[in-house]
């Protein structure tokens, strides 16, 4: 197989909001494909960037009292953190607010202008006279001209779905100042898309675009409207790059956003020594692919290729569109808490779970993908934990304990292993054509065969007979090798599980080609659990956490009322600690067998605590809230491994847990019925 040179991009997320699972659907899909190509031995680069210009960013920065540079830097850090959390393997993650992006924006624009593809025209546009700025459609609100729903944006109604122009809105107002917009003339610059009709017809029919998308775009050529010229300019004030030879005109964000692909790759080239032209020159033999949502297909399959053509750059080898993400068969909803943010997911769930689930649902079509939370739990638990990881856990223990971690020198069923190795090309073809769900079905069919093999030979039974231990070693070696092949095929999907498996197998990095040779007579490492089951409670906690985060964000954008005092506002959460820090604390259930007031102390009660065979003396500052006699016989929770502290009244050997601000508002924690003294709280 001849190694290929491949450049892959995902659509640039906007630097004015958090990453959510809708974004992650695309970036996970892209990452799987990039990892697969690398695993096959190809030279593959995956780049992306933040889309960092536009009016919303300018206004948000003003609202927060910071510069746009500060805002986009902060958001970029947040985005990179979230993408890293989901194991997205960018070779470079950059920003459109860069000198590279400025250079290529000006270069492409001037190339188009010099060839006569830019037209200057006078337009009438909504203007906020109080804010002294022209208003984008989304910055005008009013009543829908069709159904009358209030507070609708200037381009479409969220209630009835009608589309219209801002001038059609009833009782329109500017979201910036609240004033009624007026119309004002201004000069704008347009990219004449119609000049490229012949080229675009050929591009759409070249196979670079999915057939259903290509057919849809071809309708523009036959429509009365035809190909619309694209407005590439905006008036000051605007956050972006100024258009050459103008004083108050800026490149519209939609012009410099896709140029971020070139800029990010150029930045990678500077750092790594790659040749930019080898990938972007007109006659390049390298491959370039864009993964995008179907909502921006018009832009990426018409406007963007035409821009590249005008500047004599190569065109994308493929533009791969995907559908939207729904949650439980409904559009993601902020009110339901199902507009799920990446950070909310990561606080509660393993990113490998959703990577696998998306892969199991994705095809090369533009159909929407549904995240059914119940199906999500069931499928991950059944497939990854119950099938794949189960193979290794059933076999490794015998190799570890009975055979000094060493695999046998031969496979008892080489034909079965060869069947797994022979599946390589079929699975590879499915991944190559982005039929991930097909690949997953084929891999899981192999997992079923591997588990059936172990079930049929029952090494746990044979191990009872000392004369058959050689058989046990062979069977378990066979099982571990079948597991190894499955993990290799899953490696693009669940890279962390693959890395943990590689550490267990102790035979270096898995590649696609390595599956062809079984692992024999080698030493594996001690098996550690590779993945745990999803608990339904964790999913519910994630949804609840996410809803709270959305509510907080909504509240932050709502005019402030009187501050509400809460326990958290009065006593903020302490600085973040790591899990290892928490794990050092040993909480135990304790029974208060004796309680007495401490003479000479206003707040202290002396407690004798039974830990189930051991007693502790603890001084607790709870006298203001409890009579000592009322405490005797109660169960509570204490920090049992706190170093004893010498006090004026004696030695305090631990700490009792209580909640509340103090005074009479102190509440000793009491465990649920059934807890016994000495039990560890975890």
């Amino acid at each position: 197989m001849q190694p290929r040179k491949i450049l892959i991009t995902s659509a640039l997320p906007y630097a004015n909001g958090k990453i959510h699972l809708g974004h992650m659907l695309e970036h996970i899909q892209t990452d799987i494909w990039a990892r697969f190509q690398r695993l096959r031995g190809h030279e593959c680069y995956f780049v992306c960037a933040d889309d960092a210009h536009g009016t919303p960013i300018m206004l948000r920065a003003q609202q927060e009292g910071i510069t746009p540079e500060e805002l986009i830097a902060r958001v970029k850090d947040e985005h990179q953190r979230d993408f890293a959390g989901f194991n997205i393997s960018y070779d470079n993650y950059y920003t459109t607010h860069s000198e590279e992006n400025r250079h290529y924006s000006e270069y492409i624009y001037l190339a188009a202008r010099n060839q006569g593809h830019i037209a200057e025209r006078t337009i009438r546009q909504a203007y906020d006279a109080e804010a002294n700025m022209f208003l984008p459609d989304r910055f005008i609100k009013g009543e829908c001209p069709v159904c009358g729903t209030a507070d609708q944006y200037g381009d479409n109604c969220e209630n009835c779905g009608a589309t219209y122009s801002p001038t059609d809105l009833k009782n329109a107002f500017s979201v910036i100042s609240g004033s009624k917009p007026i119309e004002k003339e201004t000069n704008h610059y347009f990219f004449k898309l119609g000049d490229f009709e012949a080229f675009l017809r050929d591009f759409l029919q070249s196979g670079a675009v999915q057939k259903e998308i290509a057919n849809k775009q071809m309708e523009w050529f036959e429509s009365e409207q035809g190909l619309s010229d694209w407005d590439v300019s905006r008036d000051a004030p605007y956050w972006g790059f100024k258009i050459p030879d103008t004083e108050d005109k800026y490149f519209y964000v939609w012009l410099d956003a896709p140029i971020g692909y070139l800029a990010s790759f150029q930045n990678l080239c500077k750092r790594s020594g790659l040749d930019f032209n080898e990938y972007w020159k007109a006659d390049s033999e390298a491959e370039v692919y864009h993964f995008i949502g179907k909502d921006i297909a018009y832009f990426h399959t018409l406007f963007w290729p035409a821009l590249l053509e005008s500047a004599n750059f190569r065109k994308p080898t493929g533009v791969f569109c995907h559908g939207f993400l729904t949650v439980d068969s409904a559009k993601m909803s902020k009110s339901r808490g199902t507009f799920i943010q990446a950070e909310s997911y990561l606080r509660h769930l393993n990113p490998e779970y959703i990577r696998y689930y998306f892969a199991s649902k994705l095809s090369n079509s533009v159909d929407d993908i549904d995240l059914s939370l119940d199906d999500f739990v069931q499928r991950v638990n059944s497939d990854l934990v119950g099938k794949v990881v189960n193979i290794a856990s059933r076999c490794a223990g015998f190799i570890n304990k009975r055979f000094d971690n060493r695999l046998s020198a031969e496979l008892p069923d080489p034909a079965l292993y060869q069947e797994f190795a022979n599946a390589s090309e079929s699975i590879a073809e499915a991944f190559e054509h982005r039929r991930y769900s097909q690949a997953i079905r084929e891999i899981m069919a192999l997992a079923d065969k591997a588990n059936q093999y172990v079930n049929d030979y029952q090494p746990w039974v044979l191990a009872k007979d000392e004369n058959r231990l050689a058989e046990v070693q062979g069977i378990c070696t066979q099982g571990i090798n079948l597991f190894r092949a499955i993990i290799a095929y899953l490696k693009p999907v669940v890279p962390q599980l693959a890395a943990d498996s590689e550490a267990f197998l102790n035979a270096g990095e898995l590649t696609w080609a390595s599956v062809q040779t079984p692992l024999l007579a080698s030493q594996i490492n001690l098996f550690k659990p590779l993945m745990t089951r999803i608990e339904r409670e964790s999913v519910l906690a994630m949804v609840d956490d996410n809803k709270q985060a959305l509510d907080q964000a909504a509240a932050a954008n709502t005019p402030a009322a009187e501050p509400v005092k809460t326990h958290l506002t009065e006593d903020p959460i302490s600085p973040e600690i790591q899990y290892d820090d928490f794990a050092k604390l040993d909480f135990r259930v304790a029974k208060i067998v004796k309680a007495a007031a401490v003479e000479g102390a206003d707040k202290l009660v002396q407690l004798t605590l039974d830990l189930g065979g051991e007693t502790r003396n603890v001084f607790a500052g709870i006298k203001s809230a409890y009579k000592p006699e009322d405490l005797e016989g109660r169960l509570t929770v204490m920090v049992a491994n706190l170093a004893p502290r010498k006090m004026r009244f004696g030695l305090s050997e631990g700490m009792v847990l209580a909640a509340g601000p103090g005074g009479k508002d102190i509440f000793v924690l009491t465990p649920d019925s059934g807890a016994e003294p000495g039990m560890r709280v975890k």
Side-chain angles (χ1 to χ4, degrees):
M1 181 177 58
Q2 189 69 25
R4 297 151 58 190
K5 294 181 180 290
I6 304 172
L7 174 62
I8 306 172
T9 74
S10 284
L12 279 57
Y14 196 47
N16 189 37
K18 294 183 179 293
I19 300 299
H20 54 72
L21 291 192
H23 293 112
M24 291 315 312
L25 173 67
E26 175 173 308
H27 290 258
I28 287 172
Q29 181 186 31
T30 315
D31 185 66
I32 290 173
W33 207 69
R35 288 178 179 274
F36 165 73
Q37 300 298 351
R38 296 182 191 123
L39 200 60
R40 293 277 281 175
H42 301 306
E43 186 178 349
C44 176
Y45 302 99
F46 177 20
V47 301
C48 195
D50 267 353
D51 180 3
H53 287 157
T55 303
I57 289 173
M58 177 184 72
L59 294 176
R60 180 177 173 186
Q62 290 175 4
Q63 185 182 18
E64 294 189 17
I66 59 177
T67 65
E69 288 90 345
E70 289 172 318
L71 174 62
I72 64 176
R74 186 188 76 206
V75 173
K76 183 171 180 283
D77 287 343
E78 294 171 355
H79 286 183
Q80 288 187 277
R81 176 202 65 203
D82 290 342
F83 286 132
F86 283 89
N87 295 321
I88 308 301
S89 60
Y90 305 116
D91 292 287
N92 197 49
Y93 193 88
Y94 207 41
T95 173
T96 58
H97 189 66
S98 65
E99 285 308 307
E100 294 95 337
N101 222 78
R102 184 193 300 274
H103 167 77
Y104 286 113
S105 296
E106 293 179 354
Y107 180 90
I108 290 174
Y109 171 80
L110 290 172
R113 188 186 72 178
N114 294 340
Q115 296 175 65
H117 300 310
I118 300 293
E120 183 177 358
R121 296 177 191 149
T122 300
I123 65 168
R124 295 184 65 82
Q125 192 176 355
Y127 186 79
D128 186 328
E130 289 189 21
N132 294 315
M133 64 179 291
F134 288 95
L135 295 170
D137 292 351
R138 300 290 286 182
F139 284 80
I140 306 169
K141 283 190 171 183
E143 297 170 9
C144 173
V146 177
C147 70
T149 302
D151 205 37
Q152 297 304 302
Y153 290 109
D155 51 2
N156 68 82
C157 177
E158 293 180 330
N159 181 50
C160 71
T163 58
Y164 41 75
S165 67
T167 54
D168 296 328
L169 280 173
K170 298 175 183 177
N171 300 317
F173 63 91
S174 164
V175 300
I176 299 170
S177 70
S179 64
K180 182 177 180 178
I182 63 173
E183 283 197 357
K184 186 176 177 180
E185 288 188 345
T186 181
N187 286 344
H188 273 207
Y189 298 91
F190 291 81
F191 181 76
K192 297 192 291 184
L193 193 58
D195 291 356
F196 297 87
E197 180 173 333
F199 158 73
L200 289 171
R201 284 179 179 270
D202 290 342
F203 177 73
L204 289 172
Q205 295 173 342
S206 69
V209 181
Q210 292 137 299
K211 185 173 286 187
E212 56 263 58
I213 297 293
N215 291 340
K216 185 68 178 177
Q217 306 302 43
M218 289 293 289
E219 294 176 5
W220 289 105
F221 301 121
E222 317 304 331
S223 68
E224 292 184 11
Q225 179 182 352
L227 293 175
S228 299
D229 291 350
W230 195 282
D231 190 346
V232 297
S233 60
R234 288 296 184 268
D235 295 272
Y238 192 78
W239 168 241
F241 296 139
K242 190 173 287 187
I243 296 176
D245 306 319
T246 71
E247 291 298 322
D248 62 348
K249 308 294 180 185
Y250 290 78
F251 288 126
Y252 179 37
V253 63
W254 275 98
L255 177 118
D256 66 30
I259 294 170
Y261 303 145
L262 281 71
S264 185
F265 186 66
Q266 177 68 79
N267 183 255
L268 176 64
C269 292
K270 286 181 182 177
R271 295 188 292 103
S272 64
L274 288 167
D275 183 355
F276 178 87
N277 289 326
E278 187 178 13
Y279 286 79
W280 283 105
K281 64 183 181 181
D283 59 350
S284 169
E285 295 183 359
E287 304 167 44
V288 174
Y289 300 94
H290 302 314
F291 284 75
I292 63 164
K294 63 183 179 182
D295 54 324
I296 53 176
Y298 182 97
F299 183 87
H300 274 82
T301 60
L302 295 174
F303 179 66
W304 174 234
L307 271 184
L308 292 170
E309 176 73 3
S310 73
N312 199 34
F313 284 114
R314 59 94 39 74
K315 272 58 69 181
T317 314
V319 180
F320 301 145
C321 300
H322 61 81
F324 300 135
L325 178 68
T326 59
V327 179
D328 286 337
S329 301
K331 183 179 178 181
M332 288 197 297
S333 165
K334 291 184 178 179
S335 63
R336 291 168 53 234
T338 55
F339 200 91
I340 299 172
Q341 296 176 351
E343 60 185 3
S344 297
Y345 178 98
L346 290 171
R347 275 195 289 269
H348 297 275
L349 295 166
N350 185 335
E352 305 269 277
Y353 297 156
I354 199 73
R355 288 180 65 101
Y356 178 80
Y357 188 76
F358 282 163
S360 74
K361 305 270 285 189
L362 278 164
S363 68
N364 56 8
S365 76
V366 294
D367 295 335
D368 293 345
I369 303 297
D370 185 54
L371 169 57
S372 166
L373 296 178
D374 286 333
D375 182 52
F376 169 61
V377 173
Q378 189 278 329
R379 187 173 302 208
V380 170
N381 286 345
S382 172
D383 288 2
L384 286 183
V385 181
K387 293 182 180 179
V388 176
V389 172
N390 190 47
I391 302 166
S393 66
R394 298 170 84 189
C395 297
F398 294 105
I399 299 294
N400 291 145
K401 295 175 184 177
R402 294 296 190 98
F403 308 106
D404 196 27
N405 299 323
R406 184 159 293 278
L407 301 175
S408 63
E410 296 180 351
L411 294 177
D413 193 342
L416 177 61
Y417 184 81
Q418 192 59 48
E419 182 184 343
F420 277 52
N422 291 345
S424 163
E425 287 309 307
S426 173
I427 295 169
E429 185 180 4
F431 274 123
E432 176 68 39
H433 295 95
R434 306 175 326 284
R435 298 192 296 266
Y436 297 166
S437 57
Q438 177 186 329
I440 294 298
R441 286 194 299 273
E442 291 188 27
I443 295 167
M444 284 304 115
L446 296 177
D448 286 335
K449 286 186 178 181
N451 278 293
Q452 189 60 55
Y453 173 85
V454 178
N455 286 343
D456 288 345
Y457 286 94
Q458 299 183 318
W460 52 90
V461 175
L462 298 180
K464 297 175 183 178
D465 185 347
E466 292 291 328
N467 297 319
R468 304 190 71 175
L469 288 182
E471 291 180 60
V472 173
Q473 186 181 18
I475 293 164
C476 292
T477 296
Q478 179 92 31
I480 286 172
N481 270 279
L482 300 180
F483 166 79
R484 174 174 169 266
I486 291 166
I487 288 295
Y489 298 148
L490 283 175
K491 189 174 178 178
V493 179
V494 282
Q496 188 57 56
L497 175 60
D500 293 342
S501 299
E502 287 168 344
F504 156 63
L505 293 167
N506 193 34
E509 187 175 347
L510 283 170
T511 67
W512 208 264
S514 65
V515 175
Q516 299 304 313
T517 305
L519 195 60
L520 300 172
S522 64
Q523 195 157 10
I524 63 173
N525 285 322
L526 190 67
F527 180 80
K528 299 177 182 178
L530 296 170
M531 183 172 283
T532 57
R533 294 171 55 85
I534 304 178
E535 299 298 334
R536 175 70 180 173
E537 291 74 15
S538 298
V539 176
L540 296 175
M542 180 267 295
V543 172
D544 185 61
D545 180 14
N546 185 71
K547 190 174 187 309
Q548 290 181 38
L550 293 170
D551 289 344
Q552 289 168 6
N557 293 320
T558 303
E562 275 301 308
V564 178
K565 291 185 178 180
T566 68
H567 295 299
L568 288 182
T569 61
E570 297 300 292
D571 185 11
I573 291 173
S574 301
E576 187 177 90
I577 64 172
Q578 300 302 311
Y579 184 83
D580 289 345
D581 297 324
F582 176 77
K584 294 176 182 176
L585 296 172
D586 189 341
F587 298 104
R588 299 282 175 163
V589 176
K591 185 177 182 179
I592 304 173
V593 293
K594 187 177 179 180
V598 178
E599 188 174 344
D602 296 332
K603 299 179 180 180
L604 294 181
V605 175
Q606 185 176 6
L607 303 174
T608 302
L609 304 177
D610 177 18
L611 285 172
E614 179 181 332
T615 59
R616 296 282 183 89
N617 181 74
V618 173
F619 292 98
I622 56 176
K623 188 177 178 181
S624 58
Y626 292 95
K627 295 178 181 178
E629 59 267 27
D630 294 339
L631 292 167
E632 293 182 357
R634 285 184 58 168
L635 292 179
T636 188
V637 177
M638 72 170 299
V639 183
N641 63 335
L642 190 65
R645 182 170 57 144
K646 190 174 181 179
M647 303 177 68
R648 182 159 60 95
F649 309 101
L651 196 67
S652 187
E653 302 171 308
M655 181 182 291
V656 170
L657 300 190
K664 292 184 178 181
D665 293 326
I666 297 177
F667 307 94
V668 173
L669 299 192
T670 302
D672 204 353
S673 60
E676 297 176 357
M679 282 183 174
R680 187 161 188 163
V681 180
K682 25 185 174 176

